[in-house]
Amino acid sequence: TQNGRALHYAVEPMKADKEVCLAAVTQTGEALKYAAEPMKADEEVRRAAGLKDEHGEERLYNNFWRDPA
């Protein structure tokens, strides 16, 4: 099996690839923090990571998946 956290070590083009990001966040939503910025904002990727519900509404989580400021 693959580990979604491997996205952390991926090259930048892979971090921006939607299929790669979907596979990673499906394994673990935590992988979203390693994705390229456009993927972090992508609704389908966010839903796969568990940040959006089936109606497209943002789920209220702590800032675990957000990069520290």
Side-chain angles (χ1 to χ4, degrees):
T1 64
Q2 297 295 320
N3 185 331
R5 290 184 190 94
L7 191 60
H8 175 69
Y9 303 102
V11 294
E12 290 303 316
M14 290 185 77
K15 292 179 180 185
D17 183 283
K18 188 169 185 172
E19 293 301 318
V20 171
C21 289
L22 282 170
V25 301
T26 299
Q27 289 287 319
T28 176
E30 182 182 350
L32 185 60
K33 69 183 179 182
Y34 304 116
E37 290 301 318
M39 292 297 99
K40 290 178 182 178
D42 184 275
E43 288 200 27
E44 185 178 1
V45 174
R46 293 179 68 78
R47 190 174 301 117
L51 294 179
K52 286 192 171 251
D53 66 18
E54 64 276 4
H55 304 292
E57 298 293 323
E58 288 286 329
R59 293 187 178 183
L60 299 176
Y61 289 108
N62 62 18
N63 290 331
F64 181 76
W65 283 285
R66 303 225 188 273
D67 290 329

